[in-house]
Amino acid sequence: MSTSESNTFAPLKNPVFRALWLSNIVSNFGGMVQGVGAAWLMTTLVESESMVALVQASTTLPIMLFALVAGALADNMDRRKVLLAAQSFMLAVSVALVLCTWLNMINAWSLLAFTFLIGCGAAFNIPSWQASVGDIVGKDVLPHAVVLNGMGFNVTRSVAPAIGGAIVAAAGALVAFAINAVSYLGLIFVVWRWRGAPPEEAAQRESLPAAIYAGLRYVSLSPHLTRIMFRSLVFGLTTIIVLALLPLIGRELLGGGPVLYGGLLCAFGAGAVGGGLGA
């Protein structure tokens, strides 16, 4: 193993980071399996293309709505408590989704409501997890820990949808939802055992509006960051259309089932991994 490769995996020597990283991969795997199940289930509940596209919208809309608030909370509250609250909330919603599906009480709008609520939990979880990395590992390996986070997510995204498609094809969306619910347990346990950095003194904390304003002001005064965010916005708005309608593309245009749909989703993850390696 070369020195650069050794440095990349150096954060995994930290037992806390290693446990959180692995449990996050499991949780991400469950979330992606659930996403395949929800999108494919919607194609069986309604014939409307708009409703199928709204599954993707209900997943990403919470991040757009709550990202600023979630980021401010991650800077001003005990991140461990935020992570526990977000993960426990997603677990509760996922269990409710499993029960409603098992009792045949699920319909198109309730499915959208469940996916939206799970997305709300994810919107508050992501900033606190990313900010917690600096509390766990030293500054000398922090860049490598960030790289490992992205690598773990993209590798999971390259594999999990195909497995999720196979699960949905073989056992139905109910099993996919149940797998997602179980996937939260390990991460909740690891975060519960982890004793994070103590929260800052109250006198040093900003109010929520002040923290949000400070973040927006920082971005507005950083021209390079502003350009990157604008390009990301344009790219996201154009490519999300494909993801939103991908279940229908797989079923109507290509004549496939959930396995094909999962494989198509995997192509996005593989592309992200390939792009990262070639960067």
Side-chain angles (χ1 to χ4, degrees):
M1 182 179 293
S2 66
T3 303
S4 60
E5 290 174 333
S6 176
N7 290 336
T8 299
F9 293 100
L12 294 179
K13 296 178 181 178
N14 183 312
V16 175
F17 177 80
R18 183 172 63 249
L20 286 169
W21 185 74
L22 290 173
S23 56
N24 258 291
I25 288 178
V26 173
S27 182
N28 287 335
F29 174 86
M32 292 174 191
V33 170
Q34 186 271 340
V36 173
W40 196 259
L41 178 60
M42 183 63 81
T43 67
T44 67
L45 293 175
V46 294
E47 296 294 331
S48 169
E49 294 87 353
S50 298
M51 293 298 290
V52 174
L54 281 175
V55 175
Q56 182 66 37
S58 66
T59 303
T60 55
L61 182 61
I63 298 177
M64 294 178 59
L65 294 176
F66 303 119
L68 290 174
V69 175
L73 287 176
D75 283 339
N76 289 277
M77 292 187 65
D78 187 334
R79 292 161 189 158
R80 175 178 171 271
K81 292 180 179 179
V82 175
L83 288 171
L84 282 173
Q87 291 289 328
S88 299
F89 175 77
M90 289 189 284
L91 171 61
V93 175
S94 298
V95 170
L97 174 58
V98 171
L99 291 175
C100 287
T101 306
W102 181 50
L103 296 172
N104 292 319
M105 296 172 58
I106 201 76
N107 57 40
W109 288 107
S110 62
L111 179 60
L112 289 177
F114 280 121
T115 55
F116 178 81
L117 290 174
I118 293 174
C120 289
F124 284 91
N125 179 79
I126 293 172
S128 289
W129 160 238
Q130 293 177 340
S132 295
V133 174
D135 299 333
I136 302 169
V137 302
K139 293 182 179 180
D140 55 330
V141 297
L142 179 58
H144 303 299
V146 174
V147 170
L148 279 173
N149 271 342
M151 183 186 302
F153 176 78
N154 286 318
V155 170
T156 305
R157 192 168 62 163
S158 303
V159 178
I163 298 175
I167 291 171
V168 173
L174 174 62
V175 175
F177 298 157
I179 289 173
N180 181 46
V182 172
S183 72
Y184 294 115
L185 297 177
L187 183 55
I188 290 174
F189 176 73
V190 172
V191 174
W192 177 71
R193 290 193 62 188
W194 168 50
R195 293 296 178 261
E200 297 179 359
E201 296 296 329
Q204 296 176 331
R205 298 182 190 177
E206 295 178 298
S207 65
L208 201 61
I212 294 175
Y213 172 75
L216 292 174
R217 185 172 182 273
Y218 177 81
V219 172
S220 66
L221 296 176
S222 305
H224 296 295
L225 186 57
T226 303
R227 284 196 293 269
I228 291 173
M229 294 185 68
F230 177 74
R231 291 172 182 172
S232 299
L233 174 64
V234 174
F235 179 78
L237 287 175
T238 53
T239 56
I240 199 68
I241 299 171
V242 178
L243 278 174
L245 296 176
L246 202 57
L248 293 177
I249 293 173
R251 189 184 70 174
E252 304 295 338
L253 297 183
L254 301 178
V259 175
L260 175 62
Y261 169 54
L264 292 173
L265 280 178
C266 283
F268 281 85
V273 172
L277 293 175

